[in-house]
Amino acid sequence: MAETTFHKDTWELYKSLEMSKQLTSGVTLEKLADEHAEIVAMSSDLSKPTGLWPFAKAYPDRFFNFGLAEKNMVTAAAGMASAGKMPFVSTYASFLGVLAAENIRTAVAYPNLNVRLIGTHTGIAMGFYGTSHHATEDISITRAMANMTVISPADGVALAEMIEESVKSYDGPIYFRVSRGREEPVYEKDGGVQNKIGKANILKDGTDLTIIACGIEVQQSLAAAEQLKEEGINARVIDMHTIKPMDVEAVMDAAAETGTILTVEEHNIQGGLGSAVAEVLMESGISCNFKRHGFYDENSLIGKPYYLYKHYKLDGEGIASVAKKLVER
């Protein structure tokens, strides 16, 4: 495949962005590629918005553009993985975790292949593109697949760390669920907090309730915790980036020590993070005050993302209001 051309000034600008921005996947893979010849990447005409184009530019012979053929792309990735490659497949989550679900289940998860699936622009990040481009079901779809690890990093730093871990020391298929790349960062690069697959991060300790969040809702939950603090409510905030396998101990400790848990996700509450946490609580026999917060089993509206997050109370102010009612209950 011929190397894609980029405007030089634009390329230098994007290369200078911090890892919390949209080029995380491509920049990280570019750094790992020399040492790991098995890495290949593929996209469906979306290498720029999904962040793969730094890798595509540096390794054009290891990057494959499948056009608008997402299902074929997933199946081809499975074939490459069966031949010893480690494919990174990236496109919008609505076209990957939802549209290509059958191919992921049968061609990737069933044979337990080392394919890394990166679904971007999750939840309602696509705004005016509408329900067809919103992805509010992909957690429940992918976590129901045997062998599949499901990860929803809070920002680009977290994603970079877990991509690197997945390359160096993790076997089996992974579905990474990431946003649009415009979110405020939660972690600092080399900031002392490490993101490890399967291990939740307690970002703020508290005694009155625990907010367990994933993806971009981690930053908004931290904002909510600050608002709650002003009202005398001390909230613990947990980044549950790995939804499957879940950090069971973090959930059980939160229930025992704070007595109240609110889960927050940019996803349908049916089958998502909240359902996964509820399953842990029920099977452990621990009783606590509990609520799932996200999309309440409805199709998301169309509009500017900023207003949609506010409408669904998935911004800091909205999460704080939901948490306050839960504590009062």
Side-chain angles (χ1 to χ4, degrees):
M1 176 176 289
E3 181 176 356
T4 306
T5 58
F6 301 98
H7 189 279
K8 184 177 184 297
D9 292 339
T10 302
W11 172 249
E12 293 303 323
L13 170 64
Y14 276 87
K15 282 284 284 185
S16 69
L17 291 176
E18 295 181 0
M19 295 300 288
S20 60
K21 303 304 180 184
Q22 65 218 43
L23 295 184
T24 296
S25 302
V27 171
T28 305
L29 293 179
E30 180 186 352
K31 291 181 177 180
L32 293 168
D34 276 347
E35 184 180 347
H36 296 274
E38 71 274 19
I39 292 176
V40 296
M42 51 191 71
S43 186
S44 55
D45 258 355
L46 293 169
S47 63
K48 285 187 178 181
T50 61
L52 284 180
W53 58 292
F55 180 87
K57 178 177 173 63
Y59 297 93
D61 58 331
R62 292 161 64 179
F63 175 76
F64 305 90
N65 185 351
F66 278 78
L68 300 181
E70 295 86 358
K71 295 181 178 182
N72 289 345
M73 177 171 62
V74 169
T75 303
M80 291 185 184
S82 67
K85 299 296 183 183
M86 182 180 286
F88 279 78
V89 180
S90 188
T91 187
Y92 294 165
S94 56
F95 304 145
L96 188 59
V98 180
L99 177 65
E102 194 277 333
N103 300 73
I104 293 172
R105 184 202 65 166
T106 305
V108 174
Y110 176 51
N112 199 25
L113 297 172
N114 279 331
V115 176
R116 306 314 187 219
L117 304 150
I118 304 177
T120 70
H121 297 66
T122 54
I124 52 175
M126 292 297 285
F128 278 117
Y129 283 82
T131 304
S132 64
H133 283 59
H134 295 174
T136 59
E137 311 88 0
D138 53 324
I139 293 176
S140 56
I141 291 171
T142 54
R143 84 178 185 96
M145 297 178 185
N147 298 323
M148 183 65 71
T149 295
V150 181
I151 301 173
S152 181
D155 62 12
V157 173
L159 175 60
E161 290 178 351
M162 288 186 280
I163 283 178
E164 185 170 353
E165 180 186 355
S166 80
V167 170
K168 294 181 177 180
S169 60
Y170 203 87
D171 290 326
I174 301 176
Y175 178 70
F176 289 99
R177 184 182 200 263
V178 301
S179 191
R180 196 168 186 170
R182 299 179 181 178
E183 63 277 5
E184 291 294 320
V186 172
Y187 298 98
E188 295 181 9
K189 190 179 178 183
D190 302 321
V193 179
Q194 189 173 16
N195 289 273
K196 299 285 291 181
I197 297 174
K199 182 64 176 176
N201 290 329
I202 299 176
L203 301 181
K204 181 183 178 300
D205 209 354
T207 55
D208 296 325
L209 84 151
T210 299
I211 302 175
I212 300 178
C214 64
I216 65 169
E217 293 306 318
V218 174
Q219 195 278 333
Q220 296 302 320
S221 295
L222 288 169
E226 289 302 312
Q227 293 188 36
L228 291 169
K229 184 178 179 180
E230 295 177 0
E231 300 186 46
I233 299 174
N234 190 4
R236 178 181 302 184
V237 178
I238 295 179
D239 176 5
M240 190 63 73
H241 48 69
T242 307
I243 300 167
K244 179 188 175 185
M246 179 163 285
D247 188 339
V248 172
E249 184 178 355
V251 174
M252 294 175 65
D253 288 347
E257 294 167 8
T258 69
T260 299
I261 291 179
L262 173 68
T263 61
V264 182
E265 58 193 311
E266 189 190 17
H267 188 274
N268 192 331
I269 62 168
Q270 304 292 337
L273 169 67
S275 292
V277 171
E279 290 161 13
V280 170
L281 293 172
M282 289 301 295
E283 290 181 354
S284 67
I286 294 178
S287 177
C288 74
N289 192 18
F290 177 76
K291 180 176 176 60
R292 297 170 296 165
H293 181 50
F295 298 108
Y296 292 88
D297 201 23
E298 60 186 284
N299 292 313
S300 50
L301 297 173
I302 299 171
K304 289 184 178 181
Y306 172 83
Y307 296 107
L308 292 179
Y309 291 122
K310 195 170 188 64
H311 171 78
Y312 288 110
K313 296 186 177 181
L314 288 170
D315 59 352
E317 182 180 355
I319 295 168
S321 68
V322 174
K324 185 178 178 181
K325 288 183 180 179
L326 181 61
V327 171
E328 291 172 348
R329 185 180 75 181

